[in-house]
Amino acid sequence: MKALLLVAHGSRRKQSNDEVVLLAEKLKNNCGDQYGIIKSSFLELADILIPDGIERCIADGATSITILPYFLNSGRHVIEDIPSIINTCAIQHPSVKITLAPHLGASDLMVDLIISYVCSARIEL
């Protein structure tokens, strides 16, 4: 079964982490037919860290996990930290295909999203 694991930075502020959990719930409603399992996890500062998120996906029956970094820029966390964590988890679970998707900010759709957001909010560019 295919899983999608949304990975955010994590915050000491519970409400910020709750927003990511809610986003994962919304994703279930919109792409649950493509991914049988959709969960969220965090790099640091929150309860469900990336290895925990991977373990939860596997416990729910995932045989393939796509990790989506919910980050706008390709900083150290995206380039070094997250891949390192995923590589360690992949070694521990050789029968599960774990794939790292490009971070959200790398999407070509980002420009269209920003334009749509700015225009709908009537914010001047």
Side-chain angles (χ1 to χ4, degrees):
M1 180 181 305
K2 290 174 59 174
L4 176 66
L5 183 61
L6 183 66
V7 172
H9 184 275
S11 173
R12 289 182 182 88
R13 185 176 176 268
K14 182 183 180 313
Q15 293 86 349
S16 296
N17 298 330
D18 290 345
E19 289 176 16
V20 176
V21 173
L22 180 60
L23 177 58
E25 290 298 319
K26 289 178 181 178
L27 289 171
K28 284 181 190 178
N29 295 331
N30 291 299
C31 54
D33 56 335
Q34 189 174 1
Y35 295 97
I37 301 164
I38 299 177
K39 297 192 177 295
S40 59
S41 66
F42 302 91
L43 176 64
E44 59 188 7
L45 305 174
D47 290 334
I48 302 171
L49 299 178
I50 297 168
D52 303 323
I54 290 171
E55 292 293 336
R56 288 177 177 206
C57 289
I58 293 169
D60 285 354
T63 55
S64 173
I65 304 171
T66 299
I67 310 288
L68 175 60
Y70 187 54
F71 287 72
L72 293 178
N73 301 77
S74 59
R76 183 177 55 97
H77 291 320
V78 168
I79 300 302
E80 297 174 15
D81 299 337
I82 294 172
S84 176
I85 292 166
I86 291 169
N87 287 338
T88 299
C89 291
I91 291 168
Q92 295 169 350
H93 300 283
S95 63
V96 178
K97 181 181 178 187
I98 302 176
T99 306
L100 179 59
H103 65 286
L104 186 64
S107 171
D108 291 337
L109 298 172
M110 192 54 67
V111 172
D112 292 334
L113 173 67
I114 292 170
I115 291 169
S116 176
Y117 177 75
V118 169
C119 290
S120 69
R122 292 184 165 63
I123 298 171
E124 291 187 31
L125 294 175

